[in-house]
Amino acid sequence: PAFPHFSDFTEMMRALGYPRLISMENFHTPNFMLVSEVLLWLVKRYEPQSDIPGDVETEQDRVFFIKAVAQFMATKAHIKLNTKRLYQADGYAVKELLKVTSVLYGAMNTQGGERADLPEEDSTKFKFDLGSKIADLKAARQLASEITSKGAVLYDLLGKEAELREARTESIARPLEINEAEKVMKIAINSVLEEVQKTKDMLNNVALDEASLEAKIEKRKLELERSQKRLQTLQSVRPAFMDEYEKIEKQLQKQYSTYLEKFRNLTYLEQLLDDHRRTEQEMFE
């Protein structure tokens, strides 16, 4: 079947700085290695610190990889991808890849023309770090909220300045009495001594809590050792139903192969039906 918007996809990948050329011939047959390479490269464009594994040697690894990429795009970029089409790794996967590349390409074009001013040899050095932009946005929002709260507190304090100014002036003008100052100092010293005693009591409580926690940790360690011994015992014993399970698992692999073949045939037939309907519509028009 024809690959829709394939020229747009190749042009966007080239503009984004993909290191190798992509042609329509690459997707005439399922090419999962190329699709996984492109997906991993696009994920790195969104967030260079992403930890999605690139191992796609086995069938289970490929399923896990497609799910991880789809979940990443849904949470980070709000892009919904069709995992079945991505797993097909043919022309239909280009439609899903185009969803991601179009967003990156549009973001690149909003940089105020800076991309066009770069020399041709520097076109592959363009980096688009969406993760850092999101972090900067969160920091800006937090600073804005702090500025608002600080401004409100400052406004309230300035509103009380008229009363506080009179009290401050009166206190400065009043002569200092030694007895009264000594009395205030004694009160302050007693208050500090009380705080010191409270701190000592808290330290004693911390020591008691530490001893209690150590006893609990020791108890948990013993329970962990017993659990590990039980686990080793259970692992050494083969379950009674394991033979039947392995037999059913082999049957499941055969059924999955049949399902996969039928799914591909169904997709091909649906494409033929769409082409037939389109031809009839053009003849009718």
Side-chain angles (χ1 to χ4, degrees), residues 67-105:
K67 287 183 177 180
V69 172
Q71 184 177 4
F72 174 86
M73 289 299 174
T75 55
K76 298 292 185 180
H78 304 289
I79 299 175
K80 185 178 180 181
L81 299 176
N82 190 321
T83 54
K84 287 186 177 181
R85 288 186 173 181
L86 286 176
Y87 191 84
Q88 286 180 239
D90 54 9
Y92 293 103
V94 177
K95 289 184 178 180
E96 306 305 314
L97 296 174
L98 192 61
K99 296 178 183 178
V100 183
T101 54
S102 60
V103 175
L104 280 172
Y105 186 76

